[in-house]
Amino acid sequence: MTARIGVVTFPGSLDDRDTQRAIRLAGAEPVALWHKDKNLHQVDAVVLCGGFSYGDYLRAGAIARFSPVMETVIEQAKAGLPVLGICNGFQILTEAHLLPGAMLGNDHLHFICRDQKLRVENAGTAWTADYEAGQEIHIPLKNMDGRYVADEHTLDKLEAEGRVVFRYLDVNPNGSLRDIAGITNEAGNVVGLMPHPEHAVEPLVGSGRTDGLPFFTSILKKLVNA
Amino acid sequence: MARVVVDVMLKPEILDPQGQAVQRALPRLGFEGISDVRQGKRFELEVDGPVDEAALARIHDLAESFLANTVIEDFIVKVESEEAAAGAAK
């Protein structure tokens, strides 16, 4: 049986189709989920994709966090459902307190769009098993509010527990504390990151690399083995 | 109708590049002697009915869970109009 991976579309989501495509390329079945629908339609995992949910009014991800679909996502994520938040999805996950810390405007105040070098720090999460710890990858990055912040205690705890999943290499594009590009929750089923792996799954587009594909094969392998 | 104001500011330890950009522009505009600027948000809530303790408590919850992200922001709730202040005192 093929794994079913849901992709939530909020008003203002931009990368739902790209994310569905990445899931299909990895060999899973993408399932379109709607922000007003509490029902997750028996998916095995959920991706919160990039974009500007509800216009990012108030704060990035703050309004989406209270959408009907998120009631179920929050409940299920706490029960172990694998959830990946990419960019705006990461912002939603911090607003929902499924991941610690918060996302703020880039320290230089500009929108940024670049191929970003990252180091995979944790290959033990549901979404990173097909990487190796220490591996360096290139993933496109595009955001306005990508500055990850948390208090010192939280940052120390994340480091000590190996919950920093990705770190920016060479350039810190947004002022994120300790060069953090992505983190996971304690259980390792919820992962959020700012760069966009769904834009690096085919050699013909973007950076010409497919460094993002392992996200979607990792979760597929986890679900098939589960 | 009464007005309740919620002021939201980034916590002092959080870098505020917007405020810094404003501060850096000041000398160019002829404003000297302002060493720091921080930029926040102000919400003006028009409340139906009396702003009593229960209403204020609900607005406090709203501010804490939604208007402010208390991981990065502090907030203050205050009743603005006199009419509302009388309501709050009841």
PDB file of all heavy atoms in Angstrom, chain A residues 8 10 35 37-38 48 64-75 92-93 96 98:
ATOM      1  N   VAL A   8      -1.360  20.545   3.372  1.00  0.00           N
ATOM      2  CA  VAL A   8      -2.417  21.496   3.704  1.00  0.00           C
ATOM      3  C   VAL A   8      -2.313  22.742   2.834  1.00  0.00           C
ATOM      4  O   VAL A   8      -1.227  23.322   2.697  1.00  0.00           O
ATOM      5  CB  VAL A   8      -2.354  21.912   5.192  1.00  0.00           C
ATOM      6  CG1 VAL A   8      -3.460  22.919   5.498  1.00  0.00           C
ATOM      7  CG2 VAL A   8      -2.467  20.701   6.103  1.00  0.00           C
ATOM      8  N   PHE A  10      -3.594  26.490   2.784  1.00  0.00           N
ATOM      9  CA  PHE A  10      -4.223  27.624   3.480  1.00  0.00           C
ATOM     10  C   PHE A  10      -4.431  28.721   2.439  1.00  0.00           C
ATOM     11  O   PHE A  10      -3.772  28.710   1.394  1.00  0.00           O
ATOM     12  CB  PHE A  10      -3.283  28.172   4.570  1.00  0.00           C
ATOM     13  CG  PHE A  10      -2.962  27.201   5.669  1.00  0.00           C
ATOM     14  CD1 PHE A  10      -1.785  26.457   5.639  1.00  0.00           C
ATOM     15  CD2 PHE A  10      -3.819  27.032   6.752  1.00  0.00           C
ATOM     16  CE1 PHE A  10      -1.477  25.566   6.654  1.00  0.00           C
ATOM     17  CE2 PHE A  10      -3.508  26.148   7.775  1.00  0.00           C
ATOM     18  CZ  PHE A  10      -2.338  25.414   7.722  1.00  0.00           C
ATOM     19  N   HIS A  35      -7.650  23.933   4.595  1.00  0.00           N
ATOM     20  CA  HIS A  35      -7.529  24.566   5.919  1.00  0.00           C
ATOM     21  C   HIS A  35      -8.824  24.582   6.726  1.00  0.00           C
ATOM     22  O   HIS A  35      -8.801  24.599   7.950  1.00  0.00           O
ATOM     23  CB  HIS A  35      -6.981  25.998   5.768  1.00  0.00           C
ATOM     24  CG  HIS A  35      -7.948  26.951   5.108  1.00  0.00           C
ATOM     25  ND1 HIS A  35      -8.528  27.993   5.784  1.00  0.00           N
ATOM     26  CD2 HIS A  35      -8.430  26.995   3.852  1.00  0.00           C
ATOM     27  CE1 HIS A  35      -9.326  28.645   4.947  1.00  0.00           C
ATOM     28  NE2 HIS A  35      -9.273  28.068   3.775  1.00  0.00           N
ATOM     29  N   ASP A  37     -11.076  22.227   6.705  1.00  0.00           N
ATOM     30  CA  ASP A  37     -11.544  20.861   6.929  1.00  0.00           C
ATOM     31  C   ASP A  37     -10.739  20.244   8.079  1.00  0.00           C
ATOM     32  O   ASP A  37      -9.525  20.098   7.985  1.00  0.00           O
ATOM     33  CB  ASP A  37     -11.342  20.065   5.629  1.00  0.00           C
ATOM     34  CG  ASP A  37     -11.942  18.676   5.704  1.00  0.00           C
ATOM     35  OD1 ASP A  37     -12.531  18.327   6.753  1.00  0.00           O
ATOM     36  OD2 ASP A  37     -11.821  17.936   4.704  1.00  0.00           O
ATOM     37  N   LYS A  38     -11.442  19.890   9.147  1.00  0.00           N
ATOM     38  CA  LYS A  38     -10.754  19.292  10.305  1.00  0.00           C
ATOM     39  C   LYS A  38     -10.285  17.871  10.026  1.00  0.00           C
ATOM     40  O   LYS A  38      -9.434  17.343  10.729  1.00  0.00           O
ATOM     41  CB  LYS A  38     -11.708  19.229  11.501  1.00  0.00           C
ATOM     42  CG  LYS A  38     -11.884  20.530  12.238  1.00  0.00           C
ATOM     43  CD  LYS A  38     -12.696  20.279  13.496  1.00  0.00           C
ATOM     44  CE  LYS A  38     -13.159  21.596  14.084  1.00  0.00           C
ATOM     45  NZ  LYS A  38     -13.959  21.403  15.284  1.00  0.00           N
ATOM     46  N   LEU A  48       3.125  20.874   6.109  1.00  0.00           N
ATOM     47  CA  LEU A  48       2.647  22.266   6.072  1.00  0.00           C
ATOM     48  C   LEU A  48       3.624  22.995   5.159  1.00  0.00           C
ATOM     49  O   LEU A  48       4.808  23.107   5.485  1.00  0.00           O
ATOM     50  CB  LEU A  48       2.634  22.878   7.473  1.00  0.00           C
ATOM     51  CG  LEU A  48       1.795  22.123   8.521  1.00  0.00           C
ATOM     52  CD1 LEU A  48       1.942  22.802   9.890  1.00  0.00           C
ATOM     53  CD2 LEU A  48       0.332  22.058   8.117  1.00  0.00           C
ATOM     54  N   ALA A  64      -2.987  31.049  10.840  1.00  0.00           N
ATOM     55  CA  ALA A  64      -3.122  29.668  10.366  1.00  0.00           C
ATOM     56  C   ALA A  64      -3.148  28.685  11.529  1.00  0.00           C
ATOM     57  O   ALA A  64      -3.835  27.669  11.490  1.00  0.00           O
ATOM     58  CB  ALA A  64      -1.967  29.315   9.428  1.00  0.00           C
ATOM     59  N   ARG A  65      -2.412  29.019  12.578  1.00  0.00           N
ATOM     60  CA  ARG A  65      -2.321  28.136  13.729  1.00  0.00           C
ATOM     61  C   ARG A  65      -3.707  27.852  14.334  1.00  0.00           C
ATOM     62  O   ARG A  65      -3.931  26.823  14.945  1.00  0.00           O
ATOM     63  CB  ARG A  65      -1.377  28.778  14.752  1.00  0.00           C
ATOM     64  CG  ARG A  65      -1.293  28.109  16.092  1.00  0.00           C
ATOM     65  CD  ARG A  65      -1.981  28.958  17.157  1.00  0.00           C
ATOM     66  NE  ARG A  65      -1.937  28.306  18.458  1.00  0.00           N
ATOM     67  CZ  ARG A  65      -2.753  27.328  18.831  1.00  0.00           C
ATOM     68  NH1 ARG A  65      -3.628  26.831  17.983  1.00  0.00           N
ATOM     69  NH2 ARG A  65      -2.686  26.830  20.052  1.00  0.00           N
ATOM     70  N   PHE A  66      -4.639  28.793  14.145  1.00  0.00           N
ATOM     71  CA  PHE A  66      -5.987  28.634  14.702  1.00  0.00           C
ATOM     72  C   PHE A  66      -7.000  28.149  13.657  1.00  0.00           C
ATOM     73  O   PHE A  66      -8.201  28.195  13.886  1.00  0.00           O
ATOM     74  CB  PHE A  66      -6.465  29.955  15.320  1.00  0.00           C
ATOM     75  CG  PHE A  66      -5.731  30.303  16.590  1.00  0.00           C
ATOM     76  CD1 PHE A  66      -4.709  31.235  16.587  1.00  0.00           C
ATOM     77  CD2 PHE A  66      -6.049  29.665  17.786  1.00  0.00           C
ATOM     78  CE1 PHE A  66      -4.020  31.538  17.759  1.00  0.00           C
ATOM     79  CE2 PHE A  66      -5.368  29.963  18.955  1.00  0.00           C
ATOM     80  CZ  PHE A  66      -4.352  30.895  18.940  1.00  0.00           C
ATOM     81  N   SER A  67      -6.543  27.703  12.498  1.00  0.00           N
ATOM     82  CA  SER A  67      -7.462  27.207  11.470  1.00  0.00           C
ATOM     83  C   SER A  67      -8.029  25.849  11.884  1.00  0.00           C
ATOM     84  O   SER A  67      -7.408  25.133  12.674  1.00  0.00           O
ATOM     85  CB  SER A  67      -6.721  27.088  10.139  1.00  0.00           C
ATOM     86  OG  SER A  67      -5.697  26.128  10.260  1.00  0.00           O
ATOM     87  N   PRO A  68      -9.217  25.487  11.355  1.00  0.00           N
ATOM     88  CA  PRO A  68      -9.820  24.201  11.737  1.00  0.00           C
ATOM     89  C   PRO A  68      -8.886  23.008  11.525  1.00  0.00           C
ATOM     90  O   PRO A  68      -8.789  22.139  12.387  1.00  0.00           O
ATOM     91  CB  PRO A  68     -11.043  24.129  10.827  1.00  0.00           C
ATOM     92  CG  PRO A  68     -11.394  25.557  10.564  1.00  0.00           C
ATOM     93  CD  PRO A  68     -10.090  26.280  10.492  1.00  0.00           C
ATOM     94  N   VAL A  69      -8.188  22.956  10.393  1.00  0.00           N
ATOM     95  CA  VAL A  69      -7.353  21.782  10.124  1.00  0.00           C
ATOM     96  C   VAL A  69      -6.245  21.643  11.181  1.00  0.00           C
ATOM     97  O   VAL A  69      -5.862  20.534  11.555  1.00  0.00           O
ATOM     98  CB  VAL A  69      -6.730  21.841   8.700  1.00  0.00           C
ATOM     99  CG1 VAL A  69      -5.626  22.886   8.611  1.00  0.00           C
ATOM    100  CG2 VAL A  69      -6.192  20.477   8.286  1.00  0.00           C
ATOM    101  N   MET A  70      -5.772  22.777  11.704  1.00  0.00           N
ATOM    102  CA  MET A  70      -4.666  22.718  12.664  1.00  0.00           C
ATOM    103  C   MET A  70      -5.093  22.119  14.004  1.00  0.00           C
ATOM    104  O   MET A  70      -4.274  21.556  14.724  1.00  0.00           O
ATOM    105  CB  MET A  70      -4.032  24.104  12.860  1.00  0.00           C
ATOM    106  CG  MET A  70      -3.130  24.540  11.718  1.00  0.00           C
ATOM    107  SD  MET A  70      -1.784  23.369  11.356  1.00  0.00           S
ATOM    108  CE  MET A  70      -0.799  23.483  12.869  1.00  0.00           C
ATOM    109  N   GLU A  71      -6.392  22.227  14.322  1.00  0.00           N
ATOM    110  CA  GLU A  71      -6.873  21.578  15.557  1.00  0.00           C
ATOM    111  C   GLU A  71      -6.514  20.100  15.521  1.00  0.00           C
ATOM    112  O   GLU A  71      -5.988  19.544  16.489  1.00  0.00           O
ATOM    113  CB  GLU A  71      -8.404  21.689  15.642  1.00  0.00           C
ATOM    114  CG  GLU A  71      -8.909  22.928  16.311  1.00  0.00           C
ATOM    115  CD  GLU A  71     -10.433  22.910  16.389  1.00  0.00           C
ATOM    116  OE1 GLU A  71     -11.006  21.869  16.774  1.00  0.00           O
ATOM    117  OE2 GLU A  71     -11.037  23.939  16.044  1.00  0.00           O
ATOM    118  N   THR A  72      -6.799  19.470  14.369  1.00  0.00           N
ATOM    119  CA  THR A  72      -6.531  18.045  14.232  1.00  0.00           C
ATOM    120  C   THR A  72      -5.031  17.782  14.085  1.00  0.00           C
ATOM    121  O   THR A  72      -4.501  16.829  14.656  1.00  0.00           O
ATOM    122  CB  THR A  72      -7.284  17.471  13.010  1.00  0.00           C
ATOM    123  OG1 THR A  72      -8.570  18.078  12.953  1.00  0.00           O
ATOM    124  CG2 THR A  72      -7.437  15.973  13.122  1.00  0.00           C
ATOM    125  N   VAL A  73      -4.351  18.624  13.316  1.00  0.00           N
ATOM    126  CA  VAL A  73      -2.910  18.421  13.120  1.00  0.00           C
ATOM    127  C   VAL A  73      -2.178  18.500  14.467  1.00  0.00           C
ATOM    128  O   VAL A  73      -1.317  17.662  14.766  1.00  0.00           O
ATOM    129  CB  VAL A  73      -2.334  19.459  12.119  1.00  0.00           C
ATOM    130  CG1 VAL A  73      -0.811  19.427  12.113  1.00  0.00           C
ATOM    131  CG2 VAL A  73      -2.867  19.200  10.709  1.00  0.00           C
ATOM    132  N   ILE A  74      -2.537  19.472  15.296  1.00  0.00           N
ATOM    133  CA  ILE A  74      -1.870  19.642  16.591  1.00  0.00           C
ATOM    134  C   ILE A  74      -2.115  18.416  17.473  1.00  0.00           C
ATOM    135  O   ILE A  74      -1.189  17.853  18.059  1.00  0.00           O
ATOM    136  CB  ILE A  74      -2.344  20.944  17.285  1.00  0.00           C
ATOM    137  CG1 ILE A  74      -1.819  22.162  16.520  1.00  0.00           C
ATOM    138  CG2 ILE A  74      -1.900  20.993  18.748  1.00  0.00           C
ATOM    139  CD1 ILE A  74      -2.429  23.488  16.940  1.00  0.00           C
ATOM    140  N   GLU A  75      -3.378  17.991  17.498  1.00  0.00           N
ATOM    141  CA  GLU A  75      -3.746  16.835  18.306  1.00  0.00           C
ATOM    142  C   GLU A  75      -3.010  15.565  17.835  1.00  0.00           C
ATOM    143  O   GLU A  75      -2.426  14.829  18.635  1.00  0.00           O
ATOM    144  CB  GLU A  75      -5.265  16.673  18.175  1.00  0.00           C
ATOM    145  CG  GLU A  75      -5.890  15.561  18.952  1.00  0.00           C
ATOM    146  CD  GLU A  75      -7.354  15.408  18.507  1.00  0.00           C
ATOM    147  OE1 GLU A  75      -8.112  16.394  18.617  1.00  0.00           O
ATOM    148  OE2 GLU A  75      -7.708  14.320  18.025  1.00  0.00           O
ATOM    149  N   ILE A  92       4.248  28.234  11.300  1.00  0.00           N
ATOM    150  CA  ILE A  92       2.985  27.773  11.886  1.00  0.00           C
ATOM    151  C   ILE A  92       3.267  26.819  13.053  1.00  0.00           C
ATOM    152  O   ILE A  92       2.618  26.888  14.098  1.00  0.00           O
ATOM    153  CB  ILE A  92       2.104  27.088  10.812  1.00  0.00           C
ATOM    154  CG1 ILE A  92       1.672  28.097   9.733  1.00  0.00           C
ATOM    155  CG2 ILE A  92       0.856  26.457  11.453  1.00  0.00           C
ATOM    156  CD1 ILE A  92       1.042  27.458   8.497  1.00  0.00           C
ATOM    157  N   LEU A  93       4.248  25.940  12.886  1.00  0.00           N
ATOM    158  CA  LEU A  93       4.569  24.971  13.948  1.00  0.00           C
ATOM    159  C   LEU A  93       5.089  25.655  15.218  1.00  0.00           C
ATOM    160  O   LEU A  93       4.795  25.209  16.325  1.00  0.00           O
ATOM    161  CB  LEU A  93       5.601  23.945  13.447  1.00  0.00           C
ATOM    162  CG  LEU A  93       5.094  22.946  12.401  1.00  0.00           C
ATOM    163  CD1 LEU A  93       6.241  22.068  11.902  1.00  0.00           C
ATOM    164  CD2 LEU A  93       3.977  22.069  12.974  1.00  0.00           C
ATOM    165  N   ALA A  96       2.118  27.290  16.858  1.00  0.00           N
ATOM    166  CA  ALA A  96       1.263  26.279  17.473  1.00  0.00           C
ATOM    167  C   ALA A  96       1.938  25.630  18.688  1.00  0.00           C
ATOM    168  O   ALA A  96       1.344  24.763  19.327  1.00  0.00           O
ATOM    169  CB  ALA A  96       0.914  25.209  16.445  1.00  0.00           C
ATOM    170  N   LEU A  98       4.169  23.504  18.686  1.00  0.00           N
ATOM    171  CA  LEU A  98       4.606  22.124  18.449  1.00  0.00           C
ATOM    172  C   LEU A  98       6.135  22.094  18.385  1.00  0.00           C
ATOM    173  O   LEU A  98       6.747  21.054  18.584  1.00  0.00           O
ATOM    174  CB  LEU A  98       4.006  21.578  17.149  1.00  0.00           C
ATOM    175  CG  LEU A  98       2.515  21.219  17.221  1.00  0.00           C
ATOM    176  CD1 LEU A  98       1.978  20.872  15.844  1.00  0.00           C
ATOM    177  CD2 LEU A  98       2.273  20.060  18.188  1.00  0.00           C
TER     178      LEU A  98
END
